[in-house]
Amino acid sequence: MKWSRQRGPSDEALISKILAGEQEAFQMLMSRYERRAFGVAMGMLRNPDDAMDVVQEAFIRVYKHLPNYQSDCAFFTWLYRIVKNLCIDHYRKHGSKVKVEYEDGWKRSDTLLEHAFVADLRHLEPDRPLDRRQLGEALSEALDSLSDKHREVMVLREIEGLSYEEIAEIVGCRLGTVMSRLHHARKNLQRALIPYLESSGERGLAERAGEGVGTLRRDRAGTDTDGEEKEQRQ
Amino acid sequence: MNDELMIMLYLDGLLDGEELADFEARLQAEPLLLKQLKAQKISGAFLRAEVEEAIEHVSFERLHERVTGELPLPKKEKGGDAWYAPIYALWRQSQLPIASALVAALLTLFVVQQRGPGEDGALAGPSVELEEVSGAGAQTILIRQPAEAEASPVIWLLDEETEDHDEETKVAEPTRAKSEEEREGQDEPHRSAGAQLEALP
């Protein structure tokens, strides 16, 4: 996702003005980062109302704790950490599962899949009608099943479009850890799509991709899973 | 480098040169590898599409309202610049009896100042000057308002004879509307009516 390039005064200048009591500067800072903050919260929570609540609370915290902000890290990094922590708090308070009404859910999935280059899938499976409703639900479930850490790198890579180095800096981990988490997040999502990509007689893909959709792990507590643990052991 | 790592690097645009050419050639030749790539690509695109769609339907103006509504931003006091601001502030500080007494005192002072100099006994009845004018039986009344602010106005009462006989102008006794102290202390003889009329602007 492409974000517009920053215009106007720098973040530091705006922060100085806010600390001097200029309310307009805070509005400007909010306008600059509200979409990105919402994108991150939406990617993490996958519910617009919850994401909006989290972004609201994040900006309130930014305002209250701005005197403690240290400019040795970028403002967005600081904001991102606040948003992420609030998302994790939200999981703990309200549970991890995103509640989507059945009808709304499948209609939405249909539209989103259309958006997400579903024509490519049709091209792959010309002889098989694609059940987009089921595919959308499976993808949605697979996204929900990602752990916080896997989801985090997925959001920063796919939504924010950050490089591995940038993700490592924001998340506060090594580059190899970022790659490992991203790899496992994508692999889990790939598993969700396997039944829809499998054509008759092609079992190899399922075998290569792992156990299948039914074995997706739900690890919301934020513990590292499989590959990352292996990487750390090495 | 295994296929999964190659897929990841390819998706993130990190393959270049010979590696990229080799991998793209393999994608053409290996449908299974292509399917894996597509599955991962679609997953990311699905997530992006979901967020983009949500952003389109979100009101960020509402977000601003909600945030500013929750923040302890400094707000201007109601009527902060008005002349009654100190009284309003006193009132707000719950010193109601003091504030009420102050307001009452200010109102009394204001009413007293609004009453004119001749209104001291006004409540008792009409003024002496008004009684003289009404008792003179004149047909025409001329009132001269002096230029000086402190001088009293002069009221001339002209009867019917004055109007009928120009040459023998008889003017009723002029009555000068002035304060009682002024009338008592002044023994100046009355000037002729003609002379006084000439002096009129």
Side-chain angles (χ1 to χ4, degrees):
Chain A
M1 193 173 292
K2 301 291 179 192
W3 303 107
S4 58
R5 193 174 279 273
Q6 178 177 309
R7 291 176 188 171
S10 67
D11 291 347
E12 288 72 24
L14 285 178
I15 289 166
S16 299
K17 286 181 179 178
I18 296 166
L19 293 174
E22 285 189 34
Q23 293 178 35
E24 293 79 12
F26 184 66
Q27 299 281 351
M28 201 181 285
L29 194 68
M30 268 184 72
S31 299
R32 184 173 288 176
Y33 288 107
E34 62 198 4
R35 285 174 178 267
R36 292 181 72 180
F38 179 80
V40 168
M42 179 65 197
M44 300 283 278
L45 299 171
R46 303 192 57 247
N47 180 302
D49 293 335
D50 292 344
M52 194 52 110
D53 288 344
V54 160
V55 173
Q56 176 188 343
E57 182 58 29
F59 277 113
I60 290 170
R61 288 194 185 187
V62 163
Y63 186 85
K64 288 180 178 172
H65 298 283
L66 208 52
N68 303 327
Y69 167 68
Q70 293 173 340
S71 56
D72 55 352
C73 74
F75 174 76
F76 179 71
T77 302
W78 188 56
L79 174 63
Y80 168 78
R81 287 173 184 162
I82 294 173
V83 170
K84 186 185 84 171
N85 289 336
L86 287 169
C87 287
I88 292 170
D89 288 347
H90 188 89
Y91 292 146
R92 289 175 183 161
K93 281 182 190 170
H94 305 286
S96 61
K97 187 69 183 165
V98 178
K99 303 289 188 298
V100 181
E101 292 296 321
Y102 179 77
E103 280 296 312
D104 288 345
W106 77 259
K107 281 177 186 167
R108 208 161 59 100
S109 299
D110 201 46
T111 312
L112 292 174
L113 283 169
E114 199 68 62
H115 197 161
F117 314 115
V118 81
D120 288 343
L121 280 174
R122 283 193 180 129
H123 176 70
L124 284 167
E125 304 291 337
D127 56 337
R128 181 182 167 191
L130 186 66
D131 188 343
R132 286 186 284 168
R133 177 176 69 87
Q134 287 182 359
L135 176 58
E137 285 177 352
L139 258 175
S140 187
E141 190 178 340
L143 282 165
D144 287 344
S145 75
L146 296 178
S147 73
D148 292 341
K149 290 182 177 179
H150 288 173
R151 177 188 299 275
E152 179 180 30
V153 291
M154 190 75 184
V155 165
L156 290 173
R157 175 67 208 144
E158 299 292 353
I159 296 173
E160 279 291 308
L162 300 181
S163 67
Y164 297 162
E165 289 83 1
E166 289 168 324
I167 294 171
E169 187 186 338
I170 284 185
V171 174
C173 65
R174 290 180 297 128
L175 191 70
T177 308
V178 170
M179 292 178 72
S180 172
R181 288 178 186 176
L182 190 59
H183 166 69
H184 287 282
R186 282 176 171 163
K187 197 167 175 182
N188 280 348
L189 296 174
Q190 178 190 305
R191 283 173 190 151
L193 287 180
I194 285 172
Y196 305 94
L197 298 174
E198 277 293 319
S199 55
S200 56
E202 284 190 18
R203 294 300 306 167
L205 180 61
E207 287 160 12
R208 288 170 64 178
E211 306 91 333
V213 181
T215 60
L216 286 175
R217 284 215 253 167
R218 301 186 64 83
D219 188 7
R220 284 285 191 200
T223 54
D224 289 336
T225 54
D226 42 33
E228 191 176 328
E229 287 169 353
K230 285 175 198 166
E231 180 202 60
Q232 285 171 350
R233 279 196 295 273
Q234 287 165 3
Chain B
M1 211 179 290
N2 64 34
D3 287 351
E4 287 172 353
L5 183 59
M6 289 293 285
I7 288 172
M8 190 167 85
L9 295 176
Y10 179 79
L11 283 175
D12 294 329
L14 297 174
L15 290 182
D16 54 3
E18 197 177 333
E19 281 180 330
L20 179 64
D22 288 348
F23 187 72
E24 286 182 339
R26 281 187 62 201
L27 287 175
Q28 298 290 328
E30 299 177 38
L32 215 57
L33 187 64
L34 183 64
K35 282 183 183 180
Q36 280 183 297
L37 174 74
K38 292 284 183 186
Q40 293 196 16
K41 192 175 174 184
I42 286 167
S43 304
F46 184 85
L47 185 60
R48 278 195 299 278
E50 190 176 57
V51 171
E52 282 172 4
E53 189 185 72
I55 285 177
E56 280 177 17
H57 293 94
V58 159
S59 166
F60 288 104
E61 286 180 10
R62 178 85 186 107
L63 174 70
H64 278 239
E65 288 171 11
R66 285 169 60 177
V67 171
T68 51
E70 292 282 330
L71 286 180
L73 296 172
K75 289 175 184 167
K76 205 174 184 178
E77 284 289 332
K78 189 181 175 183
D81 295 334
W83 62 270
Y84 53 83
I87 300 172
Y88 181 73
L90 194 64
W91 200 288
R92 277 180 57 105
Q93 287 168 8
S94 304
Q95 297 182 8
L96 197 59
I98 299 170
S100 302
L102 188 62
V103 170
L106 282 172
L107 279 174
T108 307
L109 188 65
F110 179 74
V111 169
V112 167
Q113 281 184 339
Q114 289 298 308
R115 292 170 69 173
E119 290 180 76
D120 291 345
L123 294 175
S127 67
V128 176
E129 291 83 358
L130 193 57
E131 282 180 354
E132 282 181 15
V133 169
S134 59
Q139 295 294 318
T140 307
I141 300 174
L142 291 176
I143 300 175
R144 182 191 173 203
Q145 185 68 39
E148 296 84 10
E150 293 185 358
S152 303
V154 178
I155 300 173
W156 294 93
L157 306 177
L158 307 178
D159 60 11
E160 289 181 5
E161 263 184 294
T162 311
E163 290 181 337
D164 293 342
H165 310 287
D166 291 341
E167 292 176 18
E168 295 179 44
T169 304
K170 270 184 99 177
V171 181
E173 187 178 327
T175 302
R176 172 169 285 211
K178 49 192 170 185
S179 66
E180 287 188 7
E181 300 103 13
E182 195 180 352
R183 190 183 299 135
E184 285 168 6
Q186 192 174 14
D187 291 326
E188 182 188 334
H190 294 218
R191 286 185 289 172
S192 70
Q196 297 243 14
L197 281 172
E198 283 173 8
L200 289 173

